[in-house]
Amino acid sequence: MRYAALFLTLFLLLTIQGGLISHLGFGAAGNIILLFLTVSVILSDFEEILFVCLVGGLMMDLVSASRAGIIVVCFLAVFGSIYLFIKKIVPRDPNRYILYICVIISTVVFTLVFVLCNISLSFLHLESALDWKFMLGKKLILDLIVNIILVYPIFLMYEFIRKKLPQ
Amino acid sequence: MRFIYTRTFTIAFSIFVGIALIIILDAKGYLGLARDGFTRVYGYSSGAVATGVSGSKEFFKTFFTIRKLVSENAALQQKINELSFEDARLQTSREENIALRKSLNFKQSSPLNLVPVEVIGSDPTGFSQTIIIDKGSEEGIAQNSAVVVSPGLLVGKVTSLSPHSAQVTLITDPSVVVSAIVSDSGAQGLISGEHGLGLSFNLVSQNEVIKTTDNVVTSGLAGDFPPGLLIGQIDSIKSAGSDLFQKAFVAPAADLRNLKFVFVVQT
């Protein structure tokens, strides 16, 4: 039941991402599933984070133009980096500053790993090469801005779902 | 206990194998059906969200108009409210109807062999400028086919095929390069995307005369796009005397952000 509700939430977020957020223009898309994952890593247990990583990543993989599997890898890298940050560097109760730092880390790690995966797969002729300068420059900055704006609504949504979900 | 017998290792290994399998299966084209099914559900739901958003926009526009009218004639307020709500609801249907009618006329008059398709979604990551259409290899759509809207405006090309859906990379994506010609002067060059922000017209010889508002069309020289499809209009020119080539920025002729119905050109 809990995982079914999480699945539906992820699908709803994907729908909003595709129908609304990705049409913001100026090359900025943000990523509300990534934000949901970031909030999950801060507030959830291991199994739930892994579920969000794998299912959310696979959902995005199936509808994105990139090779399936890349976004799952990016989400796992984000999971690892945020998990390390929360457990080893700031081992204290999360607050808003930590949330915003986590969003910055997750956006940077996601883009970086995506670009690295793309470069690796394009060497193997499994993917067409992206313009990594644009990805790590203008797009990263725009995505950071959009993600920082959107993270608090996603955090509130996550809190709401957590209260409603059976433990 | 050795690390390879721990639960952490088992989970990490399973995930690694799973991801490797997904990448290989996708490269071999075996994920087509999964992509098809999920894309269709996603496409219709995200389409509904997009329609709802545009409907809300229209509704609030109408709402503010009504506020002005109220001050002029309070007695008609109720009537206007009802009509405005109805208008907002029907706006989307009307736009679809107009697009379909235009498309039908274009199909009858065009010499190209066209397959009408509906746009059901777009890439949610924003890393590439792609849309998803509702027909695939089973309906005769071929890889690298040109995609147009009426009346002959180039949109992009088919870059990925599933049995019942396909991904179209728009001309505003930098991975799509189109051999183009200026219809007035005959100057030739290459059009490439600027990450959804427009198009750049490169490798135009310094001897050629190009000016703003000139139309740029496909030349057909590379063989990937039929000749004569309108790409856009020259917006600005960047050229220094010391440069080997001129560069121009082109505004796409098609409204690439609001695509609903498009045509795939069959070869």
Side-chain angles (χ1 to χ4, degrees):
Chain A
M1 178 67 191
R2 190 168 156 222
Y3 287 105
L6 269 177
F7 180 87
L8 287 176
T9 307
L10 287 169
F11 186 75
L12 177 74
L13 288 172
L14 182 71
T15 300
I16 297 170
Q17 175 74 29
L20 181 66
I21 310 290
S22 62
H23 298 291
L24 289 173
F26 307 110
N31 193 334
I32 52 176
I33 298 182
L34 176 69
L35 295 178
F36 191 81
L37 170 66
T38 308
V39 176
S40 302
V41 179
I42 298 170
L43 299 175
S44 279
D45 54 40
F46 182 81
E47 276 81 13
E48 201 172 299
I49 305 167
L50 202 60
F51 181 84
V52 173
C53 253
L54 298 178
V55 175
L58 201 59
M59 277 184 182
M60 284 198 87
D61 269 326
L62 286 177
V63 295
S64 73
S66 57
R67 182 70 62 208
I70 291 186
I71 294 175
V72 176
V73 174
C74 297
F75 276 8
L76 287 169
V78 168
F79 171 24
S81 48
I82 301 288
Y83 199 78
L84 276 178
F85 179 71
I86 294 291
K87 300 290 173 196
K88 303 285 179 192
I89 300 173
V90 281
R92 65 181 82 164
D93 287 339
N95 56 37
R96 278 185 200 180
Y97 298 111
I98 292 176
L99 176 67
Y100 286 117
I101 292 169
C102 286
V103 170
I104 294 169
I105 294 172
S106 63
T107 311
V108 172
V109 169
F110 180 79
T111 312
L112 206 62
V113 175
F114 190 91
V115 169
L116 285 175
C117 285
N118 178 267
I119 291 170
S120 313
L121 289 178
S122 60
F123 270 125
L124 299 169
H125 302 291
L126 288 171
E127 184 79 290
S128 56
L130 287 172
D131 182 357
W132 61 269
K133 282 180 189 164
F134 173 77
M135 294 294 159
L136 297 175
K138 194 176 172 185
K139 175 147 175 63
L140 179 58
I141 293 165
L142 287 170
D143 282 350
L144 268 173
I145 294 167
V146 176
N147 282 347
I148 285 170
I149 293 167
L150 292 176
V151 70
Y152 202 64
I154 296 292
F155 173 77
L156 294 177
M157 181 192 172
Y158 186 85
E159 286 277 272
F160 175 78
I161 292 164
R162 238 165 98 99
K163 278 178 195 161
K164 299 284 175 191
L165 277 182
Q167 293 302 311
Chain B
M1 191 165 67
R2 288 175 68 183
F3 178 64
I4 59 163
Y5 298 118
T6 59
R7 188 168 169 267
T8 314
F9 178 80
T10 312
I11 292 173
F13 184 74
S14 309
I15 290 171
F16 176 77
V17 172
I19 291 169
L21 263 176
I22 288 170
I23 292 174
I24 293 166
L25 288 176
D26 192 33
K28 291 280 180 188
Y30 295 131
L31 284 186
L33 279 175
R35 266 191 194 267
D36 258 354
F38 191 75
T39 299
R40 214 157 269 270
V41 179
Y42 158 77
Y44 288 121
S45 52
S46 66
V49 170
T51 309
V53 170
S54 62
S56 309
K57 264 187 192 171
E58 290 301 321
F59 178 78
F60 283 110
K61 268 185 199 169
T62 316
F63 179 74
F64 285 114
T65 315
I66 290 166
R67 279 184 66 184
K68 284 178 190 169
L69 291 172
V70 164
S71 61
E72 293 172 13
N73 193 342
L76 289 171
Q77 188 184 12
Q78 186 60 37
K79 186 74 179 168
I80 293 166
N81 272 334
E82 286 170 15
L83 289 173
S84 306
F85 178 73
E86 188 66 17
D87 180 49
R89 203 169 61 83
L90 293 173
Q91 188 74 25
T92 319
S93 315
R94 199 179 70 183
E95 279 170 14
E96 278 185 6
N97 195 1
I98 290 167
L100 278 170
R101 278 172 186 277
K102 272 187 185 171
S103 306
L104 195 65
N105 286 340
F106 174 53
K107 187 175 175 6
Q108 282 163 355
S109 63
S110 172
L112 301 167
N113 186 14
L114 301 172
V115 180
V117 291
E118 191 179 348
V119 178
I120 57 170
S122 59
D123 183 359
T125 62
F127 285 123
S128 61
Q129 307 293 315
T130 53
I131 52 169
I132 304 161
I133 54 173
D134 69 339
K135 288 194 173 81
S137 53
E138 297 281 311
E139 286 84 15
I141 306 295
Q143 185 86 4
N144 292 325
S145 298
V147 178
V148 296
V149 287
S150 59
L153 313 179
L154 185 65
V155 165
K157 71 173 180 179
V158 177
T159 47
S160 174
L161 274 172
S162 296
H164 299 289
S165 67
Q167 282 183 342
V168 174
T169 304
L170 302 178
I171 48 172
T172 47
D173 190 282
S175 66
V176 177
V177 179
V178 187
S179 174
I181 186 166
V182 177
S183 55
D184 296 347
S185 63
Q188 293 186 5
L190 293 176
I191 287 275
S192 58
E194 293 272 310
H195 305 282
L197 304 173
L199 304 165
S200 63
F201 189 31
N202 301 305
L203 300 178
V204 182
S205 165
Q206 288 285 6
N207 302 328
E208 305 282 4
V209 179
I210 55 172
K211 57 184 190 300
T212 53
T213 72
D214 276 356
N215 284 328
V216 182
V217 296
T218 53
S219 69
L221 288 175
D224 46 357
F225 294 100
L229 295 175
L230 182 62
I231 299 169
Q233 247 183 9
I234 294 179
D235 199 32
S236 61
I237 299 163
K238 187 183 166 189
S239 171
S242 56
D243 290 343
L244 277 175
F245 298 101
Q246 299 182 77
K247 183 179 180 179
F249 294 97
V250 175
D255 181 7
L256 299 173
R257 292 180 69 180
N258 294 304
L259 294 169
K260 284 180 183 169
F261 302 99
V262 293
F263 292 95
V264 178
V265 180
Q266 277 191 323
T267 47

